[in-house]
Amino acid sequence: DYQMKLSSLVTLYIRLDAKCKGLPEKPISDIMRQEKEKDLCHCESEILKETGFDLEIELPYKYIFEYKAYPASDMDKITEVACKFCNDSFLKPICLYYHPIEIACACIYLSTLFWKKKLPDWKGLPWYKMISGDMELPQIMDISEIMRQIYSRAEKEAIQKQEALKRQFLI
């Protein structure tokens, strides 16, 4: 386990916040750091109170690995990429709105799109019904669309950086 000191976390937060707002990096005063540390501790307290200190969280990986037993070729490739999509899903607050089973299905669905592979039905049921009998394709597609926003934003940022570099070297 990696543990970060509160002061380091606050410093990182302040720098990332400035960067996101397009502000220049400037030295961080002790007073500013102490105020942010106090705010962070207060927020942590409020979150813990609101959740009743119950922070046992079920993760989607379990369902992805259970699905690995699905009788189709290339399941290793599909589950490997599905796990990567699962990692990226935490860049959005998806886990606050959807059950881990739903997120796992969306990750598997995105993985099949990535590999351009259609998973066959099994015993007359679509692949996602193997994971959860309650699952429906429109649910999976909705979550997948939210996850795709992660990549479309990253792609836009990469294009903007590329254009900025071109301008920098052409001038």
Side-chain angles (χ1 to χ4, degrees):
D1 265 77
Y2 175 75
Q3 293 184 348
M4 183 182 275
K5 289 184 179 180
L6 181 59
S7 60
S8 300
L9 182 65
V10 168
T11 301
L12 177 65
Y13 167 76
I14 293 169
R15 287 191 174 140
L16 287 174
D17 187 46
K19 184 178 180 181
C20 288
K21 292 177 181 174
L23 301 173
E25 193 171 315
K26 61 180 182 181
I28 301 166
S29 70
D30 287 339
I31 294 170
M32 181 189 285
R33 183 179 288 111
Q34 288 170 356
E35 285 175 7
K36 292 293 181 187
E37 284 177 11
K38 185 178 172 185
D39 290 346
L40 184 63
C41 288
H42 176 74
C43 287
E44 180 184 27
S45 266
E46 290 301 314
I47 290 169
L48 289 171
K49 285 179 196 172
E50 195 64 34
T51 60
F53 293 84
D54 181 12
L55 296 176
E56 187 175 325
I57 300 169
E58 188 176 23
L59 298 173
Y61 302 103
K62 173 175 109 174
Y63 301 102
I64 293 172
F65 289 123
E66 284 177 7
Y67 184 71
K68 195 174 183 177
Y70 184 78
S73 61
D74 299 328
M75 282 313 295
D76 286 337
K77 283 189 338 185
I78 290 170
T79 53
E80 179 183 344
V81 172
C83 284
K84 291 178 181 179
F85 282 122
C86 188
N87 291 342
D88 292 348
S89 76
F90 293 108
L91 295 172
K92 291 268 189 187
I94 296 169
C95 62
L96 300 176
Y97 303 108
Y98 298 100
H99 191 277
I101 292 174
E102 296 170 317
I103 296 169
C105 286
C107 293
I108 292 167
Y109 175 73
L110 288 172
S111 183
T112 61
L113 294 178
F114 177 82
W115 289 113
K116 296 178 174 89
K117 183 142 180 84
K118 184 180 183 323
L119 293 176
D121 291 350
W122 190 69
K123 294 185 179 181
L125 294 174
W127 63 269
Y128 48 87
K129 294 286 187 182
M130 280 187 59
I131 298 173
S132 172
D134 299 334
M135 191 61 55
E136 295 297 332
L137 191 57
Q139 276 178 288
I140 296 168
M141 293 174 77
D142 288 345
I143 299 167
S144 299
E145 194 54 43
I146 295 168
M147 292 173 64
R148 284 182 185 195
Q149 293 171 6
I150 297 167
Y151 307 107
S152 62
R153 184 186 62 175
E155 185 178 348
K156 286 177 191 172
E157 288 174 2
I159 290 169
Q160 289 172 348
K161 285 180 184 178
Q162 234 177 9
E163 289 171 356
L165 284 172
K166 283 181 187 176
R167 284 193 301 271
Q168 182 181 359
F169 290 109
L170 291 176
I171 296 175

